[in-house]
Amino acid sequence: MLLIQNGYMIDPKSGREGKLDILTEGARILRIGKGLEKPEGCEVIDAEGLLAAPGLVDVHVHFRDPGFPEKEDISTGAAAAARGGFTTVVMMANTKPPIDNPGTLACVLEKGRGTGIHVLSCANVTAGMQGKELTAMEELAEAGAAGFTDDGVPLLDEGLVRRAMERTAKLDTVISFHEEDPGLIDNNGINRGKASEFFGIGGSPREAEIRLVERDLKLALETGAKINIQHISTRESVKLVRRARAQNSNIHAEATPHHFTLTESAAIQYGSLAKMNPPLREEEDRLAIIRGLVDGTIDIIATDHAPHTAQEKERPITEAPSGIIGLETALALGITQLVERGYLTMGQLLRLMSTNPANLYRLDAGYLAEGGPADIILIDSAAEFVPEGYVSKSSNTPFTGWRLRGKVVKTIAGGVVLP
């Protein structure tokens, strides 16, 4: 048993908050209340001055396993997640081999079970991520796929996308989309504008995202599929999602901390450490994403945690891979950029980072209640820290050296206090 005393609890699902004790037994919460007595032999954590919140849920991470263990593996990725306050993660399927069959899916899920947190995985939409033939979605869902995505590779065949949506609608599961039309892009990862001009390259125009977002929202409305527009980056896309969500609540969208914090000027300043797909855009896009988070158009914050080695990121800007790590800085960026600046309350931020993503995947996570999961984090929301010395195998992020506010003090998953 574990008793957390004197903390200020926030449950973003019910809206309940206040100075409350939390008593856990095994993997569940036994009681929540004021002045709970300590059972004999119970471990006690004094959370005076700390926030007690549900463990965070990230539905968009790349743990590079199988295929790229030098960047990350499931064990180190899960450790980075725990350091950042995430007790549940959903891995993307663009591994090598890709997660397009029940055997590979079973392998990664088995590795996840040994990490201490809840590690789930999507499966691929198409065989081999080739965009030509749908996977055996029914078999993969039966084998435990949390949802479906070819994230990293946009789906270009409209007929295939429609069929995929029809099948996921029947399975009542989620299909997520990486929205970039490669036919419009010359040198991806850098916005076509000031940043591409600085590097003397073609870059990625905003139309590359807008075109596919528009197509997939239309298909979702026609098929009734539950979809997630991943890592949204343009103001036009936010507007399109806002209009579609007013017609169908099965449409969801996610924003990353780097897209609500940075603009293309960061790519000029940090080079490949701020290169990602889709790229950082303009200030008006950043503000539109924040407005989307505030009004519920964008209902999920996800990291798109994408580890790469230092050697890879040291290549020329057109050769370096896209992506940054994000699990260990996400909550602090949310507090620093959104809560401290008055855009969101702490409860609203936690809802975007726990309750909403859990609801999208129908996970028993993202809330604090008697009988609920003992996935709890303790946060010192006033503490400042400078990111460095990452638990992840990789350190490819522009946020190293920043002064951020809000530090995860303890992460508890399934009633177990993690290292």
Side-chain angles (χ1 to χ4, degrees):
M1 301 180 80
L2 176 66
L3 178 60
I4 301 169
Q5 293 181 319
N6 305 318
Y8 190 89
M9 190 193 86
I10 298 178
D11 174 36
K13 184 174 184 177
S14 67
R16 182 185 185 187
E17 61 179 88
K19 196 160 188 178
L20 297 163
D21 298 340
I22 304 171
L23 177 65
T24 73
E25 184 175 34
R28 313 303 292 183
I29 293 174
L30 186 62
R31 290 189 62 196
I32 297 175
K34 294 184 178 180
L36 296 183
E37 292 186 7
K38 174 193 171 185
E40 186 175 348
C42 180
E43 180 183 354
V44 176
I45 296 175
D46 185 0
E48 183 69 44
L50 304 178
L51 295 178
L56 305 180
V57 179
D58 191 347
V59 296
H60 190 160
V61 302
H62 299 269
F63 282 176
R64 309 300 191 197
D65 190 355
F68 308 97
E70 70 280 5
K71 304 183 188 216
E72 195 81 281
D73 58 44
I74 291 173
S75 177
T76 59
R83 170 70 69 87
F86 292 91
T87 55
T88 301
V89 297
V90 179
M91 296 185 296
M92 298 295 97
N94 61 335
T95 52
K96 186 176 182 179
I99 306 173
D100 64 354
N101 64 87
T104 304
L105 176 62
C107 181
V108 298
L109 292 179
E110 179 61 28
K111 288 183 180 180
R113 280 189 280 272
T115 64
I117 69 167
H118 311 291
V119 178
L120 310 175
S121 182
C122 283
N124 294 116
V125 176
T126 67
M129 294 186 68
Q130 296 299 305
K132 298 177 181 179
E133 177 186 355
L134 294 180
T135 56
M137 289 182 165
E138 292 80 6
E139 291 181 20
L140 286 160
E142 182 67 23
F148 293 89
T149 183
D150 273 10
D151 178 54
V153 179
L155 294 169
L156 302 180
D157 185 329
E158 182 171 337
L160 180 140
V161 172
R162 179 185 292 276
R163 294 193 299 276
M165 286 192 189
E166 290 171 345
R167 288 173 68 177
T168 55
K170 288 181 180 179
L171 290 168
D172 196 19
T173 191
V174 185
I175 182 168
S176 301
F177 292 96
H178 182 127
E179 306 287 38
E180 290 187 291
D181 186 341
L184 301 180
I185 298 171
D186 180 15
N187 307 124
N188 205 357
I190 299 296
N191 184 53
R192 181 170 295 175
K194 292 180 180 178
S196 64
E197 291 174 4
F198 175 83
F199 291 109
I201 60 176
S204 175
R206 57 200 314 105
E207 291 78 14
E209 176 180 278
I210 297 164
R211 176 180 293 184
L212 291 189
V213 168
E214 192 169 30
R215 180 201 70 182
D216 291 339
L217 291 174
K218 173 180 175 289
L219 291 175
L221 291 174
E222 292 173 357
T223 62
K226 182 190 292 187
I227 74 164
N228 178 29
I229 304 296
Q230 298 178 298
H231 41 42
I232 201 164
S233 74
T234 66
R235 55 188 179 272
E236 292 89 350
S237 295
V238 176
K239 185 176 180 180
L240 288 167
V241 171
R242 182 177 289 116
R243 186 184 308 151
R245 276 180 62 85
Q247 301 175 63
N248 190 331
S249 61
N250 272 339
I251 289 168
H252 303 269
E254 65 182 43
T256 69
H258 43 275
H259 282 111
F260 66 64
T261 300
L262 302 172
T263 66
E264 63 179 339
S265 63
I268 296 172
Q269 180 178 358
Y270 297 103
S272 66
L273 289 178
K275 178 185 178 181
M276 68 276 297
N277 300 338
L280 301 169
R281 305 285 185 185
E282 301 171 0
E283 176 67 2
E284 288 185 27
D285 299 300
R286 187 185 75 85
L287 293 175
I289 289 168
I290 292 175
R291 288 193 293 271
L293 291 166
V294 170
D295 70 17
T297 297
I298 303 170
D299 56 335
I300 294 167
I301 291 174
T303 66
D304 191 15
H305 178 78
H308 293 293
T309 66
Q311 292 77 14
E312 289 175 306
K313 280 294 190 177
E314 287 168 359
R315 296 172 186 167
I317 195 69
T318 56
E319 299 175 19
S322 293
I324 68 171
I325 60 169
L327 286 164
E328 298 173 62
T329 54
L331 179 61
L333 285 167
I335 292 172
T336 304
Q337 297 294 321
L338 302 176
V339 176
E340 290 290 314
R341 299 188 180 191
Y343 293 112
L344 298 174
T345 65
M346 180 63 73
Q348 289 169 329
L349 175 65
L350 291 171
R351 186 173 184 86
L352 288 160
M353 297 186 73
S354 62
T355 309
N356 286 357
N359 288 346
L360 173 63
Y361 280 85
R362 295 185 177 175
L363 305 176
D364 185 25
Y367 67 101
L368 296 176
E370 293 180 358
D375 297 338
I376 306 161
I377 57 173
L378 301 179
I379 308 163
D380 186 340
S381 60
E384 291 189 344
F385 76 103
V386 176
E388 57 188 355
Y390 301 100
V391 174
S392 170
K393 282 187 179 181
S394 298
S395 57
N396 52 304
T397 172
F399 297 118
T400 298
W402 283 44
R403 185 164 294 279
L404 302 178
R405 185 180 295 274
K407 187 172 180 62
V408 176
V409 176
K410 286 191 185 297
T411 299
I412 300 158
V416 177
V417 180
L418 299 178

